[in-house]
Amino acid sequence: MTLKGKSVAILIAPRGTEEPEFSNPKQAVEDAGGKVTVVSFEPGKARTVNSDLDEGGSYTIDKTFSEVKADDFDGLVVPGGTVGADKLRGSVEAIDFIRAFFDQRKPVAAICHAPWTLIEAGVLKGRTLTSYPTLKVDIENAGGAWTNEEVVVDNGLVTSRDPNDLPAFCAKLVEEIAEGVGAALAAGN
């Protein structure tokens, strides 16, 4: 599966995004020939975390939320990390950016605690997805159906539970981005 000519945004919240949930999808997109743009709140560098507490890697932020729009990309990856997902869902700019991918029916991949951002964006009604198990009630309260599976694909939305699911998650996100626009990815469908 190739992503040659495809551009993918991946979000990072400094000192909050889970290292493997950021670096593995980023590498998968690059290995498939896609161009990755790291998007965050402020320019510079951002550190990831391991298991929410230990310091992870340092990554250059390519663009801030104020410098990008969903039109610029073929897909979006939202990594987890409890603190990172919470920081992202608290940002109007981040949530507006995420929601725009659904409005444009573009593929979105979210792992672990990242579906918190999808709840905040109001795009889960009628969708089936998975996440870290503690988000089950949050997802159901937002109108989604939660399932305990390694990877779930629902019309262009790819979700997984935790870092153990990364091989399946990365394979499916590459596949969905390669396929392109999801006919039913729009919010509320």
Side-chain angles (χ1 to χ4, degrees):
M1 191 76 41
T2 182
L3 293 181
K4 187 175 181 183
K6 302 276 187 179
S7 182
V8 178
I10 186 167
L11 307 186
I12 189 168
R15 298 187 198 280
T17 295
E18 190 68 24
E19 168 69 27
E21 295 173 9
F22 174 84
S23 60
N24 289 23
K26 181 178 183 295
Q27 190 65 54
V29 170
E30 291 170 345
D31 288 350
K35 178 183 182 292
V36 175
T37 300
V38 178
V39 180
S40 193
F41 307 107
E42 298 175 357
K45 290 197 173 269
R47 279 199 131 353
T48 58
V49 295
N50 286 296
S51 301
D52 284 327
L53 300 172
D54 299 324
E55 199 167 274
S58 179
Y59 296 91
T60 299
I61 296 165
D62 299 312
K63 300 274 185 177
T64 63
F65 288 111
S66 63
E67 297 174 312
V68 293
K69 53 188 185 290
D71 299 349
D72 301 334
F73 302 99
D74 299 296
L76 172 66
V77 177
V78 187
T82 310
V83 174
D86 193 54
K87 285 180 179 181
L88 289 170
R89 75 177 174 162
S91 164
V92 171
E93 282 183 315
I95 296 306
D96 287 349
F97 184 63
I98 292 166
R99 187 181 301 113
F101 281 84
F102 285 83
D103 291 344
Q104 295 178 24
R105 296 178 164 91
K106 292 183 176 181
V108 174
I111 187 168
C112 199
H113 285 80
W116 267 343
T117 65
L118 308 181
I119 292 167
E120 196 69 31
V123 296
L124 294 186
K125 188 174 182 183
R127 294 192 166 281
T128 300
L129 64 152
T130 193
S131 68
Y132 196 76
T134 58
L135 275 64
K136 178 182 185 221
V137 172
D138 296 341
I139 288 167
E140 291 171 345
N141 287 340
W146 188 86
T147 184
N148 187 21
E149 295 179 41
E150 181 180 52
V151 65
V152 176
V153 179
D154 184 328
N155 295 308
L157 173 61
V158 180
T159 54
S160 283
R161 301 170 297 195
D162 60 45
N164 295 318
D165 299 336
L166 278 165
F169 178 73
C170 291
K172 280 296 180 185
L173 76 86
V174 166
E175 181 181 317
E176 289 298 306
I177 293 168
E179 288 176 6
V181 177
L185 191 57
N189 281 3

